[in-house]
Amino acid sequence: MNIDELLKANQRWIKGKLIGDEEFFKKQADSLHPQLMWIICSDSVMRANEVTQTKDSENLVHRNMGNLVVPTDENLLSVVHYAVNVLEIEHIIICGHYGCKGVSASLNHQDVSYLDHWLKNIKEVYVNALTDLEKIEDVDKRMEKLVELNVMESVNNLSNISVIQNKWKNRQTPFIHGWTFRPTNGQLMDLEISKSGKEAPITEE
Ligand SMILES: [Zn+2]
């Protein structure tokens, strides 16, 4: 990969955009108002705006390995805080993807590294569902199930953090959705595990 070529390509891209619309970048900057927040895996090829035919400016995207919601992750928590308290986003979509290398790597024991430490969260999901997962003989299907269980865990974790619980004290939003993306056919699937204020447990002041 020639790094200089990337900067030249950027100049060609700018020219191309301005040929169609001289105000393209100004309009894009002015219209920046995301209505959706996505939590997506770093190695997912999915582009939220592309697969939903929405604009870049409508989507606030946070990525990490394995699309995890870890309650101590200040990076994620700050983005969620900004999304729900500043932008007042009404839908947060946690979107896993089949064939995720992060999910499969979580079951390897070869290396002790930052990645292993992070992915142990997925390993815990695996261990907790071990009995059911081992009933699935096909290894690929078992991994797909783990991808889905991992999204479910992230939806549950996100719905329990204080930023969300505080919003749910007196309103239904934000809705939290658990979806998956299949890179081999481009399909999004709703796992039908959405959560909102109505379903939140009533907590004492
Ligand atoms: Zn992944």
Side-chain angles (χ1 to χ4, degrees):
M1 174 67 71
N2 182 340
I3 294 296
D4 289 339
E5 196 48 50
L6 300 182
L7 297 173
K8 288 177 192 162
N10 171 245
Q11 291 303 316
R12 292 195 295 274
W13 174 74
I14 291 171
K15 276 184 191 159
K17 289 289 182 191
L18 294 178
I19 285 170
D21 180 358
E22 280 185 8
E23 300 283 295
F24 175 82
F25 292 104
K26 185 176 182 314
K27 279 189 210 161
Q28 193 177 50
D30 290 346
S31 69
L32 194 63
H33 187 77
Q35 294 162 40
L36 301 163
M37 177 180 170
W38 296 77
I39 298 171
I40 301 175
C41 183
S42 301
D43 80 338
S44 173
V45 295
M46 195 198 84
R47 301 287 172 268
N49 60 307
E50 243 177 52
V51 300
T52 57
Q53 297 198 303
T54 51
K55 293 177 189 162
D56 264 342
S57 56
E58 290 175 279
N59 297 284
L60 180 74
V61 178
H62 179 85
R63 288 183 185 263
N64 64 42
M65 278 306 283
N67 42 267
L68 297 179
V69 174
V70 176
T72 52
D73 177 6
E74 291 187 3
N75 185 354
L76 172 71
L77 296 181
S78 61
V79 182
V80 172
H81 177 86
Y82 175 67
V84 301
N85 289 322
V86 179
L87 297 174
E88 303 208 321
I89 279 175
E90 295 192 342
H91 295 276
I92 302 175
I93 302 157
I94 298 170
C95 192
H97 67 118
Y98 298 113
C100 178
K101 294 286 186 289
V103 167
S104 52
S106 72
L107 303 183
N108 293 335
H109 307 266
Q110 297 158 348
D111 185 17
V112 177
S113 64
Y114 287 116
L115 183 62
D116 278 350
H117 181 69
W118 179 251
L119 294 178
K120 78 177 183 347
N121 296 290
I122 304 178
K123 195 188 260 179
E124 280 173 18
V125 173
Y126 182 84
V127 170
N128 289 339
L130 194 60
T131 312
D132 288 336
L133 284 167
E134 286 190 338
K135 285 178 190 158
I136 305 170
E137 286 185 19
D138 184 291
V139 175
D140 291 339
K141 285 200 165 52
R142 194 187 304 162
M143 292 311 292
E144 290 196 352
K145 187 67 183 172
L146 182 57
V147 165
E148 294 169 4
L149 291 173
N150 184 47
V151 171
M152 287 180 201
E153 178 78 3
S154 289
V155 166
N156 286 335
N157 287 347
L158 185 59
S159 62
N160 285 326
I161 68 170
S162 61
V163 174
I164 298 295
Q165 287 288 319
N166 286 339
K167 294 300 269 190
W168 282 353
K169 274 181 184 168
N170 53 14
R171 72 188 81 193
Q172 207 178 358
T173 57
F175 293 90
I176 300 173
H177 310 278
W179 291 4
T180 55
F181 176 73
R182 190 174 291 280
T184 52
N185 65 9
Q187 199 162 5
L188 286 170
M189 186 169 80
D190 183 356
L191 297 177
E192 298 183 353
I193 51 170
S194 299
K195 288 181 178 287
S196 67
K198 270 188 181 168
E199 292 175 18
I202 298 164
T203 51
E204 296 295 323
E205 288 280 335

PDB file of all heavy atoms in Angstrom, residues 41 43-44 66-67 97 100-102, ligand 1:
ATOM      1  N   CYS A  41     -18.580  -3.829  15.025  1.00  0.00           N
ATOM      2  CA  CYS A  41     -17.240  -4.407  15.185  1.00  0.00           C
ATOM      3  C   CYS A  41     -16.237  -3.698  14.276  1.00  0.00           C
ATOM      4  O   CYS A  41     -16.547  -3.334  13.145  1.00  0.00           O
ATOM      5  CB  CYS A  41     -17.286  -5.898  14.850  1.00  0.00           C
ATOM      6  SG  CYS A  41     -15.705  -6.718  15.111  1.00  0.00           S
ATOM      7  N   ASP A  43     -13.780  -4.929  12.675  1.00  0.00           N
ATOM      8  CA  ASP A  43     -13.425  -5.656  11.453  1.00  0.00           C
ATOM      9  C   ASP A  43     -14.653  -5.996  10.588  1.00  0.00           C
ATOM     10  O   ASP A  43     -14.560  -6.789   9.662  1.00  0.00           O
ATOM     11  CB  ASP A  43     -12.595  -6.914  11.775  1.00  0.00           C
ATOM     12  CG  ASP A  43     -13.438  -8.088  12.251  1.00  0.00           C
ATOM     13  OD1 ASP A  43     -14.565  -7.846  12.730  1.00  0.00           O
ATOM     14  OD2 ASP A  43     -12.955  -9.230  12.163  1.00  0.00           O
ATOM     15  N   SER A  44     -15.770  -5.334  10.859  1.00  0.00           N
ATOM     16  CA  SER A  44     -16.954  -5.549  10.021  1.00  0.00           C
ATOM     17  C   SER A  44     -16.864  -4.672   8.773  1.00  0.00           C
ATOM     18  O   SER A  44     -16.537  -3.488   8.870  1.00  0.00           O
ATOM     19  CB  SER A  44     -18.217  -5.184  10.810  1.00  0.00           C
ATOM     20  OG  SER A  44     -19.351  -5.225   9.970  1.00  0.00           O
ATOM     21  N   GLY A  66     -15.457  -6.790  18.320  1.00  0.00           N
ATOM     22  CA  GLY A  66     -16.519  -7.630  18.859  1.00  0.00           C
ATOM     23  C   GLY A  66     -17.797  -6.879  19.199  1.00  0.00           C
ATOM     24  O   GLY A  66     -18.669  -7.433  19.854  1.00  0.00           O
ATOM     25  N   ASN A  67     -17.902  -5.598  18.790  1.00  0.00           N
ATOM     26  CA  ASN A  67     -19.090  -4.763  19.110  1.00  0.00           C
ATOM     27  C   ASN A  67     -19.575  -4.971  20.549  1.00  0.00           C
ATOM     28  O   ASN A  67     -20.740  -5.251  20.814  1.00  0.00           O
ATOM     29  CB  ASN A  67     -20.243  -4.962  18.101  1.00  0.00           C
ATOM     30  CG  ASN A  67     -20.480  -6.418  17.701  1.00  0.00           C
ATOM     31  OD1 ASN A  67     -19.937  -6.894  16.714  1.00  0.00           O
ATOM     32  ND2 ASN A  67     -21.264  -7.121  18.520  1.00  0.00           N
ATOM     33  N   HIS A  97     -21.699  -9.163  13.416  1.00  0.00           N
ATOM     34  CA  HIS A  97     -21.619  -9.663  12.039  1.00  0.00           C
ATOM     35  C   HIS A  97     -21.126 -11.104  12.021  1.00  0.00           C
ATOM     36  O   HIS A  97     -20.247 -11.474  12.800  1.00  0.00           O
ATOM     37  CB  HIS A  97     -20.727  -8.755  11.167  1.00  0.00           C
ATOM     38  CG  HIS A  97     -19.272  -8.770  11.555  1.00  0.00           C
ATOM     39  ND1 HIS A  97     -18.287  -9.201  10.706  1.00  0.00           N
ATOM     40  CD2 HIS A  97     -18.644  -8.412  12.708  1.00  0.00           C
ATOM     41  CE1 HIS A  97     -17.114  -9.097  11.308  1.00  0.00           C
ATOM     42  NE2 HIS A  97     -17.303  -8.616  12.521  1.00  0.00           N
ATOM     43  N   CYS A 100     -17.281 -13.066  12.231  1.00  0.00           N
ATOM     44  CA  CYS A 100     -16.475 -12.103  12.994  1.00  0.00           C
ATOM     45  C   CYS A 100     -15.188 -12.760  13.512  1.00  0.00           C
ATOM     46  O   CYS A 100     -15.240 -13.749  14.237  1.00  0.00           O
ATOM     47  CB  CYS A 100     -17.290 -11.565  14.168  1.00  0.00           C
ATOM     48  SG  CYS A 100     -16.354 -10.413  15.191  1.00  0.00           S
ATOM     49  N   LYS A 101     -14.064 -12.185  13.143  1.00  0.00           N
ATOM     50  CA  LYS A 101     -12.767 -12.736  13.578  1.00  0.00           C
ATOM     51  C   LYS A 101     -12.549 -12.483  15.076  1.00  0.00           C
ATOM     52  O   LYS A 101     -11.861 -13.247  15.748  1.00  0.00           O
ATOM     53  CB  LYS A 101     -11.632 -12.105  12.774  1.00  0.00           C
ATOM     54  CG  LYS A 101     -11.651 -12.475  11.293  1.00  0.00           C
ATOM     55  CD  LYS A 101     -11.203 -13.903  11.074  1.00  0.00           C
ATOM     56  CE  LYS A 101     -11.063 -14.255   9.604  1.00  0.00           C
ATOM     57  NZ  LYS A 101     -12.359 -14.365   8.909  1.00  0.00           N
ATOM     58  N   GLY A 102     -13.149 -11.428  15.578  1.00  0.00           N
ATOM     59  CA  GLY A 102     -13.022 -11.144  17.007  1.00  0.00           C
ATOM     60  C   GLY A 102     -13.703 -12.214  17.832  1.00  0.00           C
ATOM     61  O   GLY A 102     -13.166 -12.683  18.841  1.00  0.00           O
TER      62      GLY A 102
HETATM   63 ZN    ZN B   1     -15.918  -8.617  13.949  1.00  0.00          ZN
END
